[in-house]
Amino acid sequence: PPDVEQLGRATWTFLHTTAAYYPEKPTPTQRANMLMLLRSLPILYPCTWCAQDFGEDIEKNPPDVSGRVALSKWLCERHNEVNSKLGKKKFDCAKVDERWKDGPPD
Ligand code: FAD
């Protein structure tokens, strides 16, 4: 079976980075593909209980693929749901760009 922790870190890195560089004004094609990427996770993510819970969470909280800022916030909130479930600290979603796009201020 996969290493769920390493898989998780790699997947969050991919997803948050992709959200951070998603267009401010995505085309219909970009929106549709982002939606498919997110909706494929409950079906394909190779940690079955993670996939199951994530599927339930995104049914209650549908992805907002309208633009970079909204998508980054939505994803941060979904990651915080998982953090809560695992007893980890919540991440401050005001800091997603600093963490995944801009780096620390100098
Ligand atoms: P991670 O949670 O992997 O986070 C990596 C980095 O992201 C952190 O160091 C921090 O800098 C940043 N970060 C943290 N929170 C946020 C946030 N809210 N927004 C933006 N950036 C943030 N593991 C399980 O054991 N059970 C599960 O059910 C489960 N479900 C998962 C579902 C999905 C869709 C994914 C992608 C992963 C899931 N995982 C699950 C894995 C789990 O979320 C962690 O990736 C893993 O436990 C490693 O945690 P970590 O503490 O190294 O940091």
Side-chain angles (χ1 to χ4, degrees):
D3 178 335
V4 169
E5 294 229 332
Q6 199 198 299
L7 175 67
R9 279 190 289 273
T11 304
W12 289 124
T13 297
F14 167 64
L15 291 174
H16 288 297
T17 306
T18 303
Y21 289 89
Y22 185 69
E24 303 284 357
K25 292 183 175 167
T27 64
T29 304
Q30 287 168 325
R31 289 184 195 215
N33 280 278
M34 179 54 75
L35 215 44
M36 283 191 280
L37 172 64
L38 296 168
R39 287 185 181 152
S40 68
L41 291 172
I43 299 162
L44 296 172
Y45 194 68
C47 157
T48 44
W49 63 92
C50 306
Q52 165 92 36
D53 289 357
F54 189 72
E56 286 168 15
D57 185 40
I58 71 172
E59 238 169 77
K60 277 179 255 163
N61 302 283
D64 185 341
V65 297
S66 62
R68 191 186 89 66
V69 174
L71 180 64
S72 297
K73 177 171 180 284
W74 177 85
L75 189 63
C76 180
E77 289 166 353
R78 305 286 64 75
H79 192 165
N80 272 336
E81 286 288 328
V82 180
N83 288 342
S84 293
K85 176 173 100 170
L86 300 179
K88 295 178 195 266
K89 276 202 289 181
K90 285 213 180 185
F91 184 90
D92 177 0
C93 292
K95 297 199 164 142
V96 277
D97 280 0
E98 180 183 325
R99 173 68 179 88
W100 297 107
K101 187 167 184 276
D102 301 330
D106 51 22

Short mmCIF file of all heavy atoms in Angstrom, two decimals, residues 22-28 30-32 34-35 38 62-72 74:
data_model
loop_
_atom_site.label_atom_id
_atom_site.label_comp_id
_atom_site.label_asym_id
_atom_site.label_seq_id
_atom_site.Cartn_x
_atom_site.Cartn_y
_atom_site.Cartn_z
N TYR A 22 -3.36 28.94 -10.91
CA TYR A 22 -4.59 28.89 -11.74
C TYR A 22 -4.92 30.33 -12.16
O TYR A 22 -4.68 31.28 -11.40
CB TYR A 22 -5.69 28.30 -10.86
CG TYR A 22 -7.03 28.01 -11.50
CD1 TYR A 22 -7.19 27.00 -12.44
CD2 TYR A 22 -8.16 28.73 -11.10
CE1 TYR A 22 -8.45 26.71 -12.97
CE2 TYR A 22 -9.42 28.45 -11.62
CZ TYR A 22 -9.56 27.45 -12.56
OH TYR A 22 -10.79 27.16 -13.08
N PRO A 23 -5.47 30.53 -13.36
CA PRO A 23 -5.72 31.91 -13.81
C PRO A 23 -6.74 32.66 -12.94
O PRO A 23 -7.64 32.05 -12.35
CB PRO A 23 -6.29 31.71 -15.22
CG PRO A 23 -5.88 30.35 -15.64
CD PRO A 23 -5.81 29.53 -14.39
N GLU A 24 -6.58 33.97 -12.88
CA GLU A 24 -7.58 34.82 -12.21
C GLU A 24 -8.90 34.71 -12.96
O GLU A 24 -9.97 34.73 -12.35
CB GLU A 24 -7.16 36.31 -12.23
CG GLU A 24 -5.80 36.62 -11.59
CD GLU A 24 -5.83 36.61 -10.08
OE1 GLU A 24 -6.91 36.42 -9.48
OE2 GLU A 24 -4.74 36.77 -9.48
N LYS A 25 -8.80 34.64 -14.30
CA LYS A 25 -9.99 34.51 -15.14
C LYS A 25 -9.85 33.30 -16.06
O LYS A 25 -9.49 33.42 -17.23
CB LYS A 25 -10.18 35.79 -15.98
CG LYS A 25 -10.53 36.99 -15.12
CD LYS A 25 -10.80 38.24 -15.92
CE LYS A 25 -11.28 39.36 -15.01
NZ LYS A 25 -11.26 40.67 -15.65
N PRO A 26 -10.16 32.11 -15.52
CA PRO A 26 -9.98 30.89 -16.31
C PRO A 26 -10.98 30.81 -17.46
O PRO A 26 -12.10 31.31 -17.36
CB PRO A 26 -10.26 29.78 -15.30
CG PRO A 26 -11.08 30.41 -14.22
CD PRO A 26 -10.64 31.84 -14.16
N THR A 27 -10.56 30.18 -18.53
CA THR A 27 -11.45 29.92 -19.66
C THR A 27 -12.40 28.79 -19.27
O THR A 27 -12.12 28.03 -18.32
CB THR A 27 -10.65 29.47 -20.90
OG1 THR A 27 -10.02 28.22 -20.59
CG2 THR A 27 -9.60 30.49 -21.32
N PRO A 28 -13.50 28.62 -19.99
CA PRO A 28 -14.40 27.50 -19.73
C PRO A 28 -13.66 26.16 -19.77
O PRO A 28 -13.94 25.26 -18.96
CB PRO A 28 -15.44 27.60 -20.84
CG PRO A 28 -15.49 29.07 -21.15
CD PRO A 28 -14.08 29.54 -21.01
N GLN A 30 -10.46 25.63 -19.03
CA GLN A 30 -9.65 25.52 -17.81
C GLN A 30 -10.53 25.18 -16.61
O GLN A 30 -10.16 24.34 -15.77
CB GLN A 30 -8.88 26.83 -17.58
CG GLN A 30 -7.74 26.99 -18.57
CD GLN A 30 -7.14 28.38 -18.56
OE1 GLN A 30 -7.83 29.39 -18.38
NE2 GLN A 30 -5.83 28.45 -18.78
N ARG A 31 -11.67 25.81 -16.52
CA ARG A 31 -12.59 25.51 -15.41
C ARG A 31 -13.04 24.06 -15.44
O ARG A 31 -13.05 23.37 -14.42
CB ARG A 31 -13.85 26.37 -15.51
CG ARG A 31 -13.62 27.81 -15.21
CD ARG A 31 -14.97 28.53 -15.24
NE ARG A 31 -14.76 29.96 -15.31
CZ ARG A 31 -15.54 30.85 -14.72
NH1 ARG A 31 -16.61 30.45 -14.04
NH2 ARG A 31 -15.29 32.12 -14.81
N ALA A 32 -13.43 23.59 -16.61
CA ALA A 32 -13.94 22.23 -16.75
C ALA A 32 -12.85 21.22 -16.37
O ALA A 32 -13.13 20.21 -15.70
CB ALA A 32 -14.41 21.98 -18.18
N MET A 34 -10.21 21.75 -14.38
CA MET A 34 -9.94 21.81 -12.93
C MET A 34 -11.02 21.03 -12.16
O MET A 34 -10.71 20.28 -11.24
CB MET A 34 -9.88 23.27 -12.45
CG MET A 34 -9.64 23.43 -10.97
SD MET A 34 -8.18 22.56 -10.33
CE MET A 34 -6.87 23.64 -10.92
N LEU A 35 -12.26 21.20 -12.59
CA LEU A 35 -13.36 20.47 -11.97
C LEU A 35 -13.16 18.96 -12.10
O LEU A 35 -13.36 18.20 -11.15
CB LEU A 35 -14.66 20.92 -12.64
CG LEU A 35 -15.94 21.02 -11.84
CD1 LEU A 35 -15.74 21.69 -10.49
CD2 LEU A 35 -16.99 21.79 -12.66
N LEU A 38 -10.39 17.73 -9.73
CA LEU A 38 -10.81 17.62 -8.33
C LEU A 38 -11.81 16.49 -8.15
O LEU A 38 -11.72 15.73 -7.17
CB LEU A 38 -11.41 18.96 -7.87
CG LEU A 38 -10.40 20.11 -7.87
CD1 LEU A 38 -11.12 21.45 -7.70
CD2 LEU A 38 -9.34 19.93 -6.79
N PRO A 62 -19.02 22.13 -2.80
CA PRO A 62 -18.59 21.98 -4.19
C PRO A 62 -17.42 22.91 -4.55
O PRO A 62 -17.35 24.04 -4.06
CB PRO A 62 -19.85 22.35 -5.00
CG PRO A 62 -20.99 22.22 -4.06
CD PRO A 62 -20.45 22.53 -2.70
N PRO A 63 -16.51 22.42 -5.39
CA PRO A 63 -15.35 23.22 -5.78
C PRO A 63 -15.75 24.56 -6.41
O PRO A 63 -16.69 24.63 -7.18
CB PRO A 63 -14.66 22.34 -6.84
CG PRO A 63 -15.13 20.97 -6.58
CD PRO A 63 -16.49 21.07 -5.97
N ASP A 64 -15.04 25.62 -6.04
CA ASP A 64 -15.22 26.93 -6.64
C ASP A 64 -14.04 27.15 -7.60
O ASP A 64 -12.93 27.45 -7.18
CB ASP A 64 -15.24 28.02 -5.56
CG ASP A 64 -15.56 29.40 -6.13
OD1 ASP A 64 -15.40 29.59 -7.36
OD2 ASP A 64 -15.94 30.29 -5.37
N VAL A 65 -14.32 26.93 -8.89
CA VAL A 65 -13.25 27.01 -9.90
C VAL A 65 -13.33 28.33 -10.68
O VAL A 65 -12.78 28.46 -11.76
CB VAL A 65 -13.30 25.79 -10.86
CG1 VAL A 65 -13.06 24.49 -10.11
CG2 VAL A 65 -14.61 25.73 -11.64
N SER A 66 -14.00 29.33 -10.06
CA SER A 66 -14.24 30.60 -10.77
C SER A 66 -12.97 31.42 -10.96
O SER A 66 -12.93 32.29 -11.82
CB SER A 66 -15.30 31.42 -10.04
OG SER A 66 -14.85 31.75 -8.74
N GLY A 67 -11.95 31.17 -10.16
CA GLY A 67 -10.70 31.93 -10.30
C GLY A 67 -9.71 31.52 -9.23
O GLY A 67 -10.06 30.79 -8.28
N ARG A 68 -8.48 31.97 -9.39
CA ARG A 68 -7.36 31.61 -8.54
C ARG A 68 -7.60 31.82 -7.05
O ARG A 68 -7.35 30.93 -6.22
CB ARG A 68 -6.18 32.50 -8.99
CG ARG A 68 -4.87 32.21 -8.49
CD ARG A 68 -3.89 33.27 -8.92
NE ARG A 68 -3.85 34.34 -7.94
CZ ARG A 68 -3.41 34.18 -6.70
NH1 ARG A 68 -2.98 33.02 -6.29
NH2 ARG A 68 -3.40 35.21 -5.87
N VAL A 69 -8.12 33.01 -6.69
CA VAL A 69 -8.26 33.35 -5.27
C VAL A 69 -9.31 32.45 -4.61
O VAL A 69 -9.08 31.87 -3.54
CB VAL A 69 -8.59 34.85 -5.10
CG1 VAL A 69 -8.88 35.19 -3.64
CG2 VAL A 69 -7.44 35.71 -5.64
N ALA A 70 -10.46 32.31 -5.29
CA ALA A 70 -11.55 31.49 -4.74
C ALA A 70 -11.14 30.02 -4.66
O ALA A 70 -11.43 29.33 -3.68
CB ALA A 70 -12.80 31.64 -5.60
N LEU A 71 -10.45 29.54 -5.68
CA LEU A 71 -10.03 28.14 -5.70
C LEU A 71 -9.01 27.86 -4.59
O LEU A 71 -9.12 26.84 -3.89
CB LEU A 71 -9.44 27.77 -7.07
CG LEU A 71 -8.97 26.32 -7.19
CD1 LEU A 71 -10.13 25.33 -7.04
CD2 LEU A 71 -8.25 26.09 -8.51
N SER A 72 -8.06 28.77 -4.42
CA SER A 72 -7.04 28.58 -3.38
C SER A 72 -7.68 28.54 -2.00
O SER A 72 -7.28 27.74 -1.14
CB SER A 72 -6.00 29.71 -3.44
OG SER A 72 -5.32 29.68 -4.68
N TRP A 74 -10.89 27.77 -1.31
CA TRP A 74 -11.70 26.53 -1.22
C TRP A 74 -10.81 25.34 -0.87
O TRP A 74 -11.14 24.54 0.02
CB TRP A 74 -12.42 26.29 -2.56
CG TRP A 74 -13.20 25.01 -2.57
CD1 TRP A 74 -14.46 24.80 -2.11
CD2 TRP A 74 -12.72 23.73 -3.04
NE1 TRP A 74 -14.80 23.47 -2.26
CE2 TRP A 74 -13.76 22.80 -2.82
CE3 TRP A 74 -11.51 23.31 -3.61
CZ2 TRP A 74 -13.63 21.44 -3.16
CZ3 TRP A 74 -11.40 21.96 -3.94
CH2 TRP A 74 -12.44 21.05 -3.72
#
